[in-house]
Amino acid sequence: MSDLYDAVVVGAGPNGLAAGITLARAGLRVLILEAAATVGGGARSAELTLPGFVHDVCSAFHPLGLASPFMRSLPLESHGLRWIHPPVPLAHPLDRGAAVLLERTVETTAQGVDPDTDAYRRLMQPLVAGADALLDDLLGPLRLPQHPVLTARFGLAGLRSVRAVAGRFSGPKARALLAGLGAHAILPLHAPGTAAFALILGMLGHLVGWPVAEGGTQRIADALASVFRSLGGTIQTRSPVTSLADLPSSRAVLLDLSPRQVAHIAGDRLPDGYRRRLARYRYGPGAFKVDWALDGPIPWAAPECLRAGVVHVGGTLEEIAAAEDAVARGRVPERPFVLVGQQSLFDASRAPYPRQTAWAYCHVPSGSREEMTGRIEAQIERFAPGFRERILARSVRFPADLERENPNFVGGDIAAGSQDLRQLLARSLRRDPYATPVKGLYLCSASTPPGAGVHGMCGYHAARSALRREFGM
């Protein structure tokens, strides 16, 4: 078996699959080993509640799947993937039946955030107009910006906090919309750099939408696996790796694993200094997730929320900021910020009509054992009276459950690492953040740049590094 493969990839999440595809495209013989029964990592789907109800186990909406240069380079539709676009990417309900929508155009969104119409235009229109060039820098290889003026303009706002950028707005709608987008950073909203998450997600909503994969997020992973196999690659599931000694001989090994798993698997092969660097890697708060089988759509008080794939439930900027600040301080919020997905409204394959699925999670301290189901459902009930009466069944996942299903999610951290500015810059400014001091050993998980999201760029860049260093390509 020692001469069967040029490269071995450990982990078949989107980044591991992307690494395998990139290596196989270069003509290498590649093996991917996956501990679970199916490929996908954070991109899986399953019947979690009742038969016939398909739920996304982790990731659910995929603007980066359409924006990623790597994903766009693949014939995924020919391998079974079909994207579905909800009419509106995002809704954000407020009290008394009001709501603000992130719509597909800047102008329609701006019209909905009066009195901040002009301020929203000024903030978002330049970014959307230059989005392709900006994404080339943000998702591209480590280098000087290819579009320095645009990237600098983004940085001037993006390096600030959500609270600081929200100072541009005087009305509650624009401020709430920005807060919900920025809370995807899983950081307190006064933290520097949180505005970048809001700007990127808003820009992507206008540029490509927030689509879902027909049949479930698993279809993305399955399509990537199909592309890999079509290039001659081999995947072995139910193949846990506990040591580098478990692997067949090859010239390159790429680990789609977070630093804690890398330190465990590589063991004494790593120099002491590098092992200490891995030990210093910081994980962020966890997630508490609930999936429901419902007897009908969520009864939002603002009916326009039924046009959106994602609904941000948390109220005003001040309320969302309080919830995220509590999590950052190690406390469980009484009124959590809840991210709700209603995929089955737009994908009939998810549930037997007229029944529906719903997907939701909130942020909690790392490893929290606090039961959050009641608080999550109370937040939804606040903006959708009668929601609880629609519930047929539920599936609950604590942070420990998320980590058990995907060991990269340490403490339930679905971003595979704290996304604060200090850590993002530290790992991005290394000469080659994918290569390790061990010859032939590379990291390709979401713990490397450009970070979390189903885009495959971490795996792609790691594979490119291995091709240059190990194979002279």
Side-chain angles (χ1 to χ4, degrees):
M1 193 173 180
S2 62
D3 60 352
L4 287 181
Y5 303 106
D6 299 305
V8 177
V9 179
V10 178
N15 285 308
L17 292 166
I21 289 169
T22 304
L23 296 166
R25 276 176 153 179
L28 303 187
R29 299 162 298 171
V30 186
L31 169 68
I32 297 179
L33 298 173
E34 168 57 47
T38 60
V39 301
R44 291 191 173 104
S45 304
E47 292 184 345
L48 300 178
T49 55
L50 299 174
F53 289 77
V54 178
H55 304 270
D56 293 325
V57 174
C58 185
S59 65
F61 296 85
H62 305 285
L64 285 169
L66 284 183
S68 162
F70 170 74
M71 300 279 275
R72 290 203 308 265
S73 75
L74 303 177
L76 296 176
E77 290 77 9
S78 299
H79 290 263
L81 177 62
R82 177 174 174 260
W83 294 111
I84 294 176
H85 288 271
V88 173
L90 167 69
H92 189 125
L94 297 167
D95 288 323
R96 294 183 291 278
V100 56
L101 304 181
L102 177 74
E103 303 212 43
R104 286 299 303 272
T105 70
V106 172
E107 185 57 33
T108 51
T109 304
Q111 292 296 330
V113 296
D114 185 68
D116 295 304
T117 297
D118 290 339
Y120 187 86
R121 279 198 207 102
R122 288 193 297 269
L123 179 65
M124 295 302 301
Q125 191 62 60
L127 299 179
V128 175
D132 288 336
L134 183 58
L135 288 168
D136 188 46
D137 280 340
L138 295 178
L139 297 178
L142 297 173
R143 62 189 180 190
L144 291 173
Q146 302 300 291
H147 312 279
V149 175
L150 182 63
T151 302
R153 180 168 187 156
F154 169 79
L156 286 173
L159 292 177
R160 303 176 72 195
S161 70
V162 165
R163 276 196 170 276
V165 174
R168 299 174 180 226
F169 303 130
S170 60
K173 288 188 173 182
R175 290 166 60 82
L177 180 63
L178 192 73
L181 292 168
H184 283 257
I186 322 179
L187 295 166
L189 298 190
H190 62 261
T194 48
F197 289 83
L199 296 178
I200 291 172
L201 288 172
M203 178 186 74
L204 290 172
H206 297 314
L207 182 70
V208 297
W210 289 10
V212 299
E214 182 180 47
T217 294
Q218 183 71 52
R219 299 290 180 87
I220 302 174
D222 291 344
L224 289 168
S226 178
V227 170
F228 175 67
R229 291 188 177 104
S230 75
L231 296 168
T234 301
I235 299 175
Q236 293 179 10
T237 57
R238 303 181 190 274
S239 299
V241 175
T242 59
S243 168
L244 293 181
D246 297 341
L247 303 178
S249 176
S250 66
R251 289 173 63 181
V253 173
L254 289 85
L255 304 177
D256 184 7
L257 306 172
S258 81
R260 183 175 295 186
Q261 285 72 51
V262 172
H264 174 72
I265 287 174
D268 294 338
R269 297 276 296 277
L270 299 172
D272 289 343
Y274 189 76
R275 198 160 50 240
R276 285 194 295 272
R277 181 192 297 177
L278 294 179
R280 289 195 299 269
Y281 186 83
R282 291 175 294 107
Y283 294 91
F288 186 102
K289 182 171 181 285
V290 186
D291 291 277
W292 297 276
L294 305 175
D295 68 2
I298 297 175
W300 300 108
E304 57 265 43
C305 292
L306 292 171
R307 299 174 55 215
V310 178
V311 183
H312 283 169
V313 175
T316 65
L317 178 149
E318 289 74 19
E319 290 178 285
I320 296 169
E324 296 304 290
D325 188 59
V327 173
R329 293 172 181 272
R331 302 198 304 266
V332 171
E334 286 300 317
R335 281 189 161 188
F337 170 63
V338 182
L339 298 95
V340 177
Q342 40 192 15
Q343 299 93 311
S344 62
L345 289 179
F346 316 101
D347 179 3
S349 69
R350 303 289 187 110
Y353 183 82
R355 295 178 174 184
Q356 305 290 332
T357 64
W359 164 106
Y361 72 93
C362 72
H363 305 142
V364 293
S366 177
S368 171
R369 298 180 181 180
E370 190 82 20
E371 166 61 69
M372 296 295 291
T373 305
R375 275 173 267 202
I376 288 174
E377 292 181 355
Q379 280 287 70
I380 299 174
E381 185 83 18
R382 171 185 168 190
F383 299 101
F387 166 70
R388 289 192 183 98
E389 298 172 11
R390 296 279 170 95
I391 298 172
L392 301 172
R394 66 172 64 82
S395 172
V396 172
R397 276 168 168 69
F398 288 75
D401 300 318
L402 297 175
E403 182 176 356
R404 185 165 45 252
E405 292 172 348
N406 187 338
N408 281 2
F409 297 161
V410 174
D413 176 5
I414 57 176
S418 174
Q419 301 181 103
D420 65 77
L421 196 58
R422 179 163 62 94
Q423 181 152 283
L424 286 174
L425 289 176
R427 64 195 190 194
S428 295
L429 294 177
R430 293 174 193 153
R431 185 174 181 182
D432 187 339
Y434 312 101
T436 75
V438 178
K439 181 170 174 53
L441 183 64
Y442 296 82
L443 310 184
C444 69
S445 72
S447 299
T448 63
V454 180
H455 47 65
M457 296 302 294
C458 308
Y460 169 76
H461 292 314
R464 290 284 297 262
S465 177
L467 287 170
R468 287 192 304 270
R469 288 171 172 265
E470 309 301 330
F471 301 95
M473 297 184 186

